[in-house]
Amino acid sequence: MPTDARCLVEADETSATVRLSGVLEPIAADRVRDALLARLTDRPGPIVVDVALLRSTGDTAARLLAEVRRTVADWPAADLLVLDPAGTVTGAGATGLPVYPTADEATAALARTPMAALLAADLAPVVGAARHAREMVADGCARWGVPELAEPAAIAVTEMVNNVVAHARTAMTVRLAPRNSSLHVAVRDHSPRQPAYAGLAPLTSTGGRGLLLIDTVARRWGSTPVPGGKVVWCVLHAEDEAARQG
């Protein structure tokens, strides 16, 4: 993972722990942010960031960790927890961060965000990829008790996957997970090219309607640059679909 001369980022591949050590100064924040996003992108699920051996300039650590947590808030089954026995993560920037003073408490909190409710598939950028993604959506919506989201989620994931096939032309990872009565969907590819949404397409347009469809069925959606590509995500709510049907 990326490192700075004074701040080391170490990922434990056998667990969900990422350790920060050394001195974190503002100049290193972007590198550390990218390292944490890479970890959250490449391996699904929440992570525990251990800052026991970290020293931070001002509230740099707090602001950085809070920013990363906000960035992944709508990704499927993603979150960031902080193990901070020395009280390193302080200040206004720490507001809303889940900070735990002991490893046992951090581990217990991690266990309350189970990974069982997650579906993922690695797909090639070929014709038929969207069909596999739709099948995964139908399976997930049925098992998680949100069948009303199967159709709008299928619309969204079809457009997300087809955008990769048509434009990014790289391998992709599709992930989805429930959260209360919502469904979170994400497609990660390996192209830095960001999708461009310009609102309603002209009636004479023969394309460019994919993002409009996502915007129509999802309450929120976005595209996040990550090391080696991007994550396009969306969030669908059961009550929104009920209101549309009503």
Side-chain angles (χ1 to χ4, degrees), residues 92-206:
T95 302
L97 268 178
V99 180
Y100 303 93
T102 69
D104 286 345
E105 290 176 272
T107 300
L110 190 68
R112 292 194 291 270
T113 56
M115 283 295 297
L118 173 75
L119 292 177
D122 294 323
L123 302 176
V126 297
V127 175
R131 176 176 55 81
H132 288 293
R134 287 192 297 271
E135 291 171 351
M136 187 167 68
V137 162
D139 180 23
C141 289
R143 71 169 67 183
W144 297 325
V146 284
E148 64 272 36
L149 290 180
E151 182 177 350
I155 292 171
V157 81
T158 295
E159 299 306 327
M160 294 160 78
V161 169
N162 282 344
N163 278 341
V164 177
V165 174
H167 303 295
R169 300 189 180 100
T170 73
M172 73 190 90
T173 300
V174 180
R175 292 176 181 146
L176 58 142
R179 191 180 304 170
N180 299 321
S181 62
S182 65
L183 183 68
H184 295 242
V185 183
V187 177
R188 187 264 202 273
D189 66 47
H190 300 274
S191 167
R193 177 179 178 181
Q194 294 294 309
Y197 175 59
L200 293 174
L203 294 177
T204 55
S205 172
T206 58

